[in-house]
Amino acid sequence: MAEDKASTSVPLSQADIDISGDDPEDPVKASPSSPNSSTRKACCYVLQSWISKKFMTGCVVLFPVGVTLFITWWFIQFVDGFFSPMYEQLGIDIFGLGFITSLVFVFLVGIFVSSWLGATVFWFGEWFIKRMPFVKHIYSASKQISAAISPDQNTTAFKEVAIIRHPRVGEYAFGFITSTVVLQKDNEDEELCSVFVPTNHLYLGDIFLVNSREIIRPNLSIREGIEIIVSGGMTMPQTISHQERVPQKAESIHMNRI
């Protein structure tokens, strides 16, 4: 009985080796994390990182191009749809002809409205629209936006791009000067500028009356200011310089001397 127990007893370390199937004489099985596998993993990681980076670079480059082409194509089809049915009834099927006709039509409308008769007709149509409920609010908001970028720069358009100190000390807000007003006081008059600061979009914002001396006037045009607002500040230039403004009193004295 003692001999049987001695013959059947096996060392624990040797049993583990036999069960696991590892051979200490085999170098591949003895070292599962060999230098070759580590190098292979490092190369795969570097290759994967390089592919991901280049793919994201391609997406960043192609995304604005794709969006621009899509919006341009949609705009051409949308404008082309105004006059293309008329040409289809005449048996003319040329893509883009309706778009060119729309551009010519807009140009002719601009010429007509610039005349005395066109201005009168436009004034009557505007008067009729402003008497319509709900529609007059949409028209007023749309007109403010179009007037801001109007080349005529009439009294309802944005005058200048402005930067004011708001809402706290050390913070600035980007806005547009819409008009000026003189605040009469007991000791002296104070010139205030009505500054429109967009909060949600170009046509939604707050109006602040700020002293004209406390307004920073950057070297930006109205169109550049609108692009900055619409893009959420992504088109903001690297540097902005301050333009000095001649006071209105000095301007009036200078004009009287002339």
Side-chain angles (χ1 to χ4, degrees), residues 5 22 37 42 51 63 66 124 139 142 154 159 198 220 223 256:
K5 291 181 180 180
D22 293 338
S37 61
I51 293 175
F63 178 75
F124 180 76
Y139 178 77
S142 303
N154 50 24
K159 305 298 182 184
L220 299 173
R223 188 162 300 176
N256 291 333

Side-chain angles (χ1 to χ4, degrees), residues 177-196:
I177 298 177
T178 56
S179 61
T180 57
V181 61
V182 177
L183 179 62
Q184 295 182 351
K185 296 182 179 180
D186 296 335
N187 49 3
E188 61 177 355
D189 297 340
E190 183 180 4
E191 181 185 3
L192 301 177
C193 292
S194 176
V195 181
F196 173 74

Side-chain angles (χ1 to χ4, degrees), residues 54-74:
K54 297 304 179 182
F55 181 79
M56 291 303 300
T57 303
C59 291
V60 170
V61 172
L62 293 178
F63 178 75
V65 176
V67 171
T68 303
L69 293 177
F70 175 78
I71 295 177
T72 304
W73 180 255
W74 173 84

Side-chain angles (χ1 to χ4, degrees), residues 214-226:
E214 298 178 358
I215 294 178
I216 301 174
R217 292 175 170 83
N219 58 337
L220 299 173
S221 62
I222 302 298
R223 188 162 300 176
E224 291 174 343
I226 293 176

